[in-house]
Amino acid sequence: MRPSNQGVAAGSPIGYSARLMKRSSSPKNALYAQSGGVSAVINASACGVIETARKHPGRIGKVYAGRHGIVGALTEDLIDTSRESAATIRALRHTPGGAFGSARYKLAGIAQNRAQYERLIEVFRAHDIGYFFYNGGNDSMDTAHKVSEIGAQLGYPIVCIGVPKTVDNDLALTDCCPGFGSAAKYVAVSTREAALDVASMARTSTKVFVLEVMGRHAGWIAAAGGLAGRGRGAAPHLILFPEIPFDQGRFLAKVKDSVESYGYCVIVVSEGVRDAAGKFLAEAGTRDSFGHTQLGGVGPVVAQMTQAAFGYKYHWAVADYLQRAGRHIASKVDVEQAYAVGKAAVQMALRGRNAVMPVIVRKYSKPYRWTIGEAPLAAVANQEKKVPRHFITSDGFGITAACRNYLLPLIGGEDYPPYAAGLPAYATIEGRGVARRLKQGFVL
Amino acid sequence: MRPSNQGVAAGSPIGYSARLMKRSSSPKNALYAQSGGVSAVINASACGVIETARKHPGRIGKVYAGRHGIVGALTEDLIDTSRESAATIRALRHTPGGAFGSARYKLAGIAQNRAQYERLIEVFRAHDIGYFFYNGGNDSMDTAHKVSEIGAQLGYPIVCIGVPKTVDNDLALTDCCPGFGSAAKYVAVSTREAALDVASMARTSTKVFVLEVMGRHAGWIAAAGGLAGRGRGAAPHLILFPEIPFDQGRFLAKVKDSVESYGYCVIVVSEGVRDAAGKFLAEAGTRDSFGHTQLGGVGPVVAQMTQAAFGYKYHWAVADYLQRAGRHIASKVDVEQAYAVGKAAVQMALRGRNAVMPVIVRKYSKPYRWTIGEAPLAAVANQEKKVPRHFITSDGFGITAACRNYLLPLIGGEDYPPYAAGLPAYATIEGRGVARRLKQGFVL
């Protein structure tokens, strides 16, 4: 696959030997790819991967990035990150979204779609890629694990290291997931602020305020809303978790009690709340003109219930992407952990580890101390960590002290981006492509 | 109405005389009240009023605050702000919401409900209130103006000064309104952040993202979303203004063009968008179980239109109170102006002005220079300043350079609140009440 050395002059044996040595020890390139829903700090992990790799030019060649993640890898659409300045890479640390593009594209099992995996190995081989850093959640860790297996089978061993990322905080074996702390901080701060607004107005206006947050299966982000206040009467007065089946009667009784006791009621609701039959509440909400339901809309659904029952004036907000892109209010701890797992992934690769993922290990909660550990991809893949029952109060509507102790360190510290003319100065990559080497394209 | 001086010892003529002098020149108290929807910086105006009044103890006695604004004034439920520490008052500068409580309670015209105005004057007289600082929007300026008129008619002259406040930025005669700059910054920053998220994912996921913002009649906040990006392809790709009748065909064509040209489409929509017949688009949206419509919901309505027409995957966010309570991302200019109008209101009162409101006067845009001017309440009351047509691009979907020049200075600078344990440390007032002096209550 490599160009031959026939152009080397026979009369310069030292140069020839040096070139041969360089060639024979020529370090493999790396592929970095972002996967799934992005976060406020996934680019901080990219920054950690690229900056660390750049410190080891004798061990790792260029770092390529898949344009739109695994999609770019399959279609041989690679970005050459070595063409990006050090300043741009540094600025990724404070830039939300996925700077190289991410993808919702789950590779099927090897048995079902071997061609996809073979294509990946073909692209890796064509671009001399020996390291694969896959930055994502549960599905992505499964994919990275399979890639490491198939590479070995096809005689092209590839070092596959997962880089954990998910605002949902549902990855197994890591104490927390980079991306979550910043979403949690966004929701806790927003709940505290909106609650002050509602408390001001409740005497003559809005009595019920609902903030809908992400979390289709796990209620970690909703739980973070509980950090907004503490003690009797403090908002939020209710949290609705996907882990607790929704009971309309008990919900309404709690809302009524809150309004009558404190004058108002602030509710944080997870998009994934379901009734006892397992049906999403959001499905009772908006439908498009074809009658299709789309999740996102449980906020207005529960708000309207309170009006129907008691006539309360309500308002609702749906944070949607704002909560996972809100880099302006990122958690400093989260930014540091996101960078650290990117850095650790490269260090693990250099130590000869394979099919593993760096994880966050909590040493103490007060004061918060953490370190980086390691977990096998096979053990992480396709697991899902929900909010444990003992983190939720017995009535199902709040968080316990244990949950608070777990969550509070994760929103610790501020890490403001630089501003220019009133707006955060976020990085934009040049994104120059790597010349294609394969004749065949690939249809997704 | 006052306790007599009979307890003063006759044998201490100097003390007696001093007390008499103090008594005879005893300064009038002031009433401060918050009105209408609160903002991230209305408490900064309260801070400006109270701190400035405290510097003139010989001219202004105590500053009372209506608990829940005018409602507290009518029901004689007053907060004695002199019982609040200097540190608490100072901390109001960085605390969102209405610390003393606000109200949506519009006083009818004098002719229709003279009793309300007479009651106000009765409360003022009972508590020796000579100054009324009313912190609100259009309706409130109308009320303050009427109070000054009726006070004169009833032989109890009262100095009435308006303190401008509205996130809607629709007050006449002032270049901008305290509260708006911070909401504008929130929306501009959020749009920029969410757009980075959508751009990352668009290849395989969400193609259309809609952010719904406040502004029932005026599109100032929606216009601020336009600051998020500049130039061809930059988000937001569309802004929907209440000033421009919604045309579904033209809207869909623009969305399609954006998706086909840039891969995605970011839309900022004002809650008050109407069709050509003047009907709110939001009314086509969610209904409660009684079939009542409630505004708030135009975001999902326009998002669904794009799916129905083109099958685009969409997401939508509704910022609701988060945008007007988002003190964590307040504009420094806005905080300074909010404080300045509070301070100026007191200074105007001390200069003998009446029935006026301090306004923001723009001297230059680049660099931004502003000063405080004065406008008569009669000229401000019940006006409504909409986004002028030349601030909106000819296609009706964007902002012009003139609009950008107007808006950009208003989101200038950051003014972060202090944090403790990962959350903003917002002030809570003690809120001690003033002893009632009137026998009769008042039914609202």
Side-chain angles (χ1 to χ4, degrees):
Chain A
M1 304 279 303
R2 305 228 186 95
S4 74
N5 287 309
Q6 60 190 17
V8 174
S12 75
I14 294 170
Y16 179 76
S17 156
R19 287 193 196 193
L20 248 192
M21 273 186 64
K22 182 169 184 312
R23 173 67 59 196
S24 67
S25 68
S26 174
K28 293 276 187 184
N29 297 317
L31 179 73
Y32 167 78
Q34 301 182 321
S35 178
V38 293
S39 79
V41 302
I42 184 172
N43 289 330
S45 292
C47 176
V49 167
I50 296 168
E51 287 191 342
T52 309
R54 285 184 176 189
K55 286 180 184 160
H56 300 278
R59 303 282 310 280
I60 298 177
K62 290 184 173 181
V63 177
Y64 299 140
R67 200 184 303 275
H68 293 290
I70 200 75
V71 166
L74 288 166
T75 57
E76 206 195 354
D77 188 359
L78 306 178
I79 295 166
D80 184 353
T81 74
S82 75
R83 308 288 290 271
E84 307 293 336
S85 72
T88 296
I89 298 301
R90 189 75 197 148
L92 291 179
R93 191 178 162 115
H94 66 247
T95 299
F100 304 102
S102 186
R104 287 205 185 281
Y105 189 82
K106 186 170 160 62
L107 270 69
I110 295 177
Q112 295 98 295
N113 198 344
R114 193 175 177 89
Q116 282 184 328
Y117 292 91
E118 288 176 348
R119 168 70 179 188
L120 269 186
I121 299 301
E122 197 181 8
V123 171
F124 288 175
R125 199 189 297 264
H127 292 278
D128 207 20
I129 291 166
Y131 306 94
F132 177 43
F133 299 106
Y134 204 26
N135 201 169
N138 295 308
D139 289 352
S140 312
M141 296 308 127
D142 183 49
T143 299
H145 182 232
K146 286 177 181 146
V147 169
S148 74
E149 288 180 331
I150 197 116
Q153 287 175 29
L154 295 176
Y156 188 84
I158 176 112
V159 173
C160 294
I161 312 282
V163 184
K165 174 268 353 173
T166 169
V167 296
D168 291 333
N169 203 41
D170 59 356
L171 274 175
L173 299 183
T174 182
D175 182 68
C176 60
C177 301
F180 169 66
S182 295
K185 189 178 183 102
Y186 177 98
V187 168
V189 171
S190 297
T191 302
R192 175 170 287 193
E193 291 179 335
L196 287 173
D197 188 311
V198 180
S200 315
M201 305 295 301
R203 176 79 189 268
T204 55
S205 184
T206 299
K207 299 246 183 318
V208 171
F209 174 73
V210 180
L211 173 61
E212 176 182 325
V213 302
M214 288 180 158
R216 188 162 295 207
H217 304 294
W220 292 107
I221 298 178
L227 298 175
R230 185 166 202 178
R232 189 177 147 72
H237 307 96
L238 275 98
I239 302 170
L240 297 175
F241 298 91
E243 286 85 356
I244 306 287
F246 182 76
D247 177 327
Q248 182 165 348
R250 294 186 60 250
F251 165 72
L252 288 173
K254 180 88 177 172
V255 171
K256 185 162 185 274
D257 177 65
S258 175
V259 171
E260 291 178 356
S261 301
Y262 317 119
Y264 67 110
C265 183
V266 171
I267 301 164
V268 178
V269 57
S270 176
E271 62 178 341
V273 170
R274 297 161 185 253
D275 63 20
K279 188 182 171 195
F280 285 115
L281 252 64
E283 290 178 12
T286 49
R287 288 169 184 271
D288 67 18
S289 57
F290 300 121
H292 301 145
T293 60
Q294 175 164 334
L295 280 195
V298 66
V301 169
V302 298
Q304 283 164 9
M305 281 180 192
T306 70
Q307 187 181 64
F310 310 118
Y312 294 146
K313 183 178 176 193
Y314 62 82
H315 262 244
W316 49 270
V318 177
D320 198 62
Y321 290 157
L322 274 54
Q323 75 201 279
R324 76 179 196 194
R327 181 63 182 82
H328 72 274
I329 187 67
S331 150
K332 186 165 193 283
V333 163
D334 191 33
V335 174
E336 287 169 354
Q337 291 180 341
Y339 186 90
V341 293
K343 179 180 174 181
V346 174
Q347 290 172 332
M348 285 175 184
L350 294 177
R351 284 204 311 272
R353 307 296 300 151
N354 193 6
V356 295
M357 177 184 93
V359 296
I360 313 290
V361 178
R362 182 182 298 228
K363 299 175 76 176
Y364 310 101
S365 284
K366 295 180 183 177
Y368 183 50
R369 294 286 181 271
W370 57 276
T371 186
I372 296 289
E374 182 188 297
L377 287 177
V380 178
N382 296 324
Q383 300 288 319
E384 196 171 59
K385 187 172 69 176
K386 300 194 175 192
V387 178
R389 189 61 185 84
H390 74 280
F391 273 18
I392 301 173
T393 50
S394 55
D395 68 0
F397 294 132
I399 59 170
T400 61
C403 185
R404 184 177 292 274
N405 288 344
Y406 167 75
L407 290 173
L408 209 49
L410 307 183
I411 67 166
E414 294 69 56
D415 187 66
Y416 300 119
Y419 278 70
L423 285 161
Y426 292 137
T428 308
I429 61 161
E430 295 256 344
R432 295 200 205 173
V434 178
R436 285 194 164 78
R437 296 186 176 176
L438 296 173
K439 285 179 183 162
Q440 278 208 300
F442 186 83
V443 178
L444 291 175
Chain B
M1 304 278 302
R2 304 224 188 99
S4 73
N5 288 308
Q6 62 189 14
V8 173
S12 75
I14 295 168
Y16 178 76
S17 154
R19 288 193 194 191
L20 250 192
M21 274 184 61
K22 184 171 183 309
R23 173 67 60 195
S24 67
S25 66
S26 175
K28 293 277 188 185
N29 298 316
L31 179 73
Y32 166 79
Q34 301 182 320
S35 178
V38 293
S39 79
V41 301
I42 184 172
N43 289 331
S45 291
C47 176
V49 166
I50 297 168
E51 286 191 343
T52 308
R54 284 184 176 189
K55 285 180 183 159
H56 299 278
R59 305 282 309 281
I60 299 177
K62 291 183 173 180
V63 177
Y64 298 140
R67 199 184 307 274
H68 293 289
I70 201 76
V71 166
L74 288 166
T75 58
E76 205 195 356
D77 188 359
L78 306 179
I79 295 165
D80 184 354
T81 75
S82 74
R83 308 289 289 272
E84 307 292 337
S85 72
T88 297
I89 298 301
R90 188 76 198 147
L92 291 180
R93 191 178 162 114
H94 66 247
T95 300
F100 303 101
S102 186
R104 287 205 186 281
Y105 189 81
K106 185 170 160 63
L107 270 68
I110 295 177
Q112 294 98 296
N113 198 345
R114 192 174 178 90
Q116 282 184 328
Y117 292 90
E118 288 176 348
R119 168 70 178 188
L120 269 186
I121 298 301
E122 196 180 8
V123 171
F124 288 176
R125 198 190 297 265
H127 293 277
D128 207 20
I129 291 165
Y131 307 95
F132 178 43
F133 299 106
Y134 204 25
N135 201 169
N138 295 309
D139 288 354
S140 311
M141 296 308 127
D142 182 50
T143 299
H145 182 232
K146 285 177 181 144
V147 170
S148 76
E149 288 181 330
I150 197 117
Q153 287 176 29
L154 296 175
Y156 188 83
I158 177 113
V159 173
C160 294
I161 313 281
V163 185
K165 175 262 2 171
T166 169
V167 297
D168 292 331
N169 202 40
D170 59 356
L171 274 175
L173 299 182
T174 182
D175 181 69
C176 60
C177 301
F180 170 66
S182 295
K185 188 177 183 102
Y186 177 98
V187 167
V189 171
S190 298
T191 302
R192 174 170 288 193
E193 291 180 335
L196 287 173
D197 188 311
V198 180
S200 315
M201 305 295 299
R203 175 79 189 267
T204 55
S205 183
T206 299
K207 299 247 184 318
V208 171
F209 174 72
V210 180
L211 173 60
E212 176 182 325
V213 302
M214 288 179 158
R216 189 161 294 207
H217 304 292
W220 291 107
I221 298 179
L227 297 176
R230 186 167 200 174
R232 190 178 146 72
H237 307 98
L238 274 97
I239 302 170
L240 297 175
F241 297 91
E243 286 86 354
I244 305 287
F246 181 76
D247 177 327
Q248 182 165 347
R250 293 187 60 249
F251 164 72
L252 288 172
K254 180 89 177 171
V255 171
K256 184 160 184 274
D257 177 65
S258 175
V259 171
E260 291 178 356
S261 302
Y262 318 119
Y264 67 110
C265 183
V266 171
I267 301 164
V268 178
V269 56
S270 176
E271 62 178 341
V273 170
R274 297 160 186 253
D275 63 20
K279 189 182 170 194
F280 285 115
L281 252 64
E283 289 178 13
T286 48
R287 289 171 182 271
D288 66 20
S289 56
F290 300 119
H292 300 145
T293 59
Q294 176 165 330
L295 280 194
V298 65
V301 169
V302 298
Q304 284 163 8
M305 281 179 192
T306 71
Q307 187 181 65
F310 310 118
Y312 294 145
K313 184 179 177 192
Y314 62 81
H315 261 243
W316 49 270
V318 176
D320 198 62
Y321 290 157
L322 274 55
Q323 74 202 278
R324 75 179 197 194
R327 181 63 183 82
H328 72 273
I329 187 66
S331 149
K332 186 165 192 282
V333 163
D334 191 33
V335 174
E336 287 170 354
Q337 291 180 342
Y339 186 90
V341 293
K343 179 180 175 181
V346 173
Q347 291 173 332
M348 286 175 183
L350 293 177
R351 284 205 309 273
R353 308 295 301 150
N354 193 6
V356 295
M357 177 185 93
V359 296
I360 313 291
V361 178
R362 182 181 299 229
K363 297 174 76 175
Y364 310 101
S365 284
K366 294 181 183 177
Y368 183 50
R369 296 284 181 269
W370 58 276
T371 186
I372 297 288
E374 182 188 297
L377 289 177
V380 178
N382 297 324
Q383 300 288 321
E384 197 172 58
K385 188 172 69 176
K386 299 194 175 192
V387 179
R389 190 60 186 83
H390 75 280
F391 273 18
I392 302 173
T393 51
S394 55
D395 69 359
F397 294 130
I399 61 170
T400 61
C403 185
R404 184 176 292 273
N405 288 344
Y406 167 75
L407 290 173
L408 209 49
L410 307 183
I411 67 165
E414 293 69 55
D415 187 67
Y416 300 120
Y419 278 71
L423 286 160
Y426 293 137
T428 309
I429 61 160
E430 295 255 344
R432 293 198 207 175
V434 177
R436 284 194 163 79
R437 293 185 177 177
L438 296 174
K439 285 177 185 165
Q440 278 207 302
F442 186 83
V443 178
L444 291 174

